[in-house]
């Protein structure tokens, strides 16, 4: 994980282009995210938001352009190197280990060794103690021994976010974290995001809801057709969204 200077941009994409055949998903996109801030990314479907997240998280390569982390150029970014750099992606549709418990879903990424061997280690109890407060905040402590497959949709989203929090990543990508949730679960996630900011985490979230963006974000980025249309304070951008 990189050392972070909270007075500067932690992540910069410069002149990024990504094409899928004849379709240009990102067109010479340059965008920068400040360390320790909550940044919202919005725009119509097909504007390039998910492609940008896939590139930042190392799931896709760029066709052109450069990526800088803490002002240092990253020559090649894949999922493993992104994780090492402290970047984690929380998907819109939860990706979990369905056939193991809630508790072990969080422990699994924390272990270096294969999961079933790792679960027999002496430090298992220590890891449980470290994630107990996270599960309690998420309202999942009573579900800790349940299989992930038995959780509701909202609980699955909370579990995936719990795993991101437990990872101690410095940059957390949230893809529509509030989509499809009841108000109570939305409020839990909102409070977790605010707490992460207080811990100087860098949060980048894709979101369409104007009020959520306005309530949470320090800065909002509007994408359209693979371009950055505007980058302003929340209160100045809404006319361009309508």
């Amino acid at each position: 994980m990189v050392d972070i200077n909270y007075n500067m941009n932690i992540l910069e994409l410069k002149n990024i282009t990504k094409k899928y055949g004849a379709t240009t998903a990102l067109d010479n996109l340059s965008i920068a995210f400040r360390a320790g801030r909550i940044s919202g990314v919005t725009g119509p479907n097909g504007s390039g938001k998910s492609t940008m997240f896939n590139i930042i998280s190392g799931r896709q390569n760029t066709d052109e352009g450069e990526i800088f982390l803490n002002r240092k150029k990253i020559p090649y970014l894949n999922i493993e190197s992104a994780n090492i750099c402290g970047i984690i992606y929380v998907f819109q549709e939860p990706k979990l280990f369905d056939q193991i418990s809630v508790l072990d879903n969080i422990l699994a990424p924390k272990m270096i060794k294969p999961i079933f061997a790792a679960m027999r280690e002496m430090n298992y109890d220590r890891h449980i103690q470290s994630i107990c407060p996270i599960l309690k905040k998420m309202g999942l402590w009573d579900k800790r021994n349940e299989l992930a497959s038995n959780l509701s949709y909202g609980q699955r989203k909370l579990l995936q976010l719990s795993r991101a929090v437990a990872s101690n990543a410095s940059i957390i990508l949230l893809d529509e974290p509030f989509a499809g949730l009841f108000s109570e679960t939305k409020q839990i996630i909102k409070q977790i995001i605010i707490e992460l900011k207080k811990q100087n985490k860098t949060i980048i979230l894709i979101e369409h809801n104007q009020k959520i963006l306005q309530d949470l974000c320090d800065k909002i980025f509007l994408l359209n057709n693979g371009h950055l249309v505007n980058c302003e304070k929340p209160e100045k951008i809404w006319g361009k969204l309508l």
Side-chain angles (χ1 to χ4, degrees), residues 42-50 92 176 206-208 223-226:
T42 192
N45 292 335
S47 60
K49 304 182 298 296
S50 294
Q92 179 179 354
E176 298 198 45
I206 293 174
E207 180 57 55
H208 294 284
L223 298 186
N224 191 35
N225 294 325

Side-chain angles (χ1 to χ4, degrees), residues 3-72:
D3 294 327
I4 301 170
N5 183 339
Y6 293 102
N7 296 315
M8 58 178 267
N9 293 328
I10 188 173
L11 177 66
E12 296 180 76
L13 279 62
K14 293 188 177 181
N15 307 118
I16 297 294
T17 295
K18 178 64 179 180
K19 297 182 179 181
Y20 303 106
T23 301
T24 301
L26 295 177
D27 190 2
N28 200 37
L29 175 70
S30 293
I31 189 169
F33 300 98
R34 191 77 174 268
R37 303 289 179 87
I38 302 174
S39 298
V41 180
T42 192
N45 292 335
S47 60
K49 304 182 298 296
S50 294
T51 298
M52 184 181 72
F53 266 27
N54 284 331
I55 287 172
I56 294 172
S57 63
R59 282 164 174 77
Q60 292 180 348
N61 296 323
T62 65
D63 296 327
E64 298 177 16
E66 299 173 316
I67 300 174
F68 293 82
L69 190 62
N70 228 15
R71 295 187 177 177
K72 296 179 181 179

Side-chain angles (χ1 to χ4, degrees), residues 26 29-31 33 39-45 47-49 52 205 207-208 213 219-233 236-242:
L26 295 177
L29 175 70
S30 293
I31 189 169
F33 300 98
S39 298
V41 180
T42 192
N45 292 335
S47 60
K49 304 182 298 296
M52 184 181 72
L205 65 97
E207 180 57 55
H208 294 284
L213 288 168
K219 187 170 264 189
I220 297 169
F221 298 89
L222 174 61
L223 298 186
N224 191 35
N225 294 325
H227 296 275
L228 179 61
V229 175
N230 214 313
C231 168
E232 298 188 33
K233 295 291 184 180
K236 295 182 180 180
I237 198 171
W238 304 121
K240 300 176 178 65
L241 287 170
L242 299 176

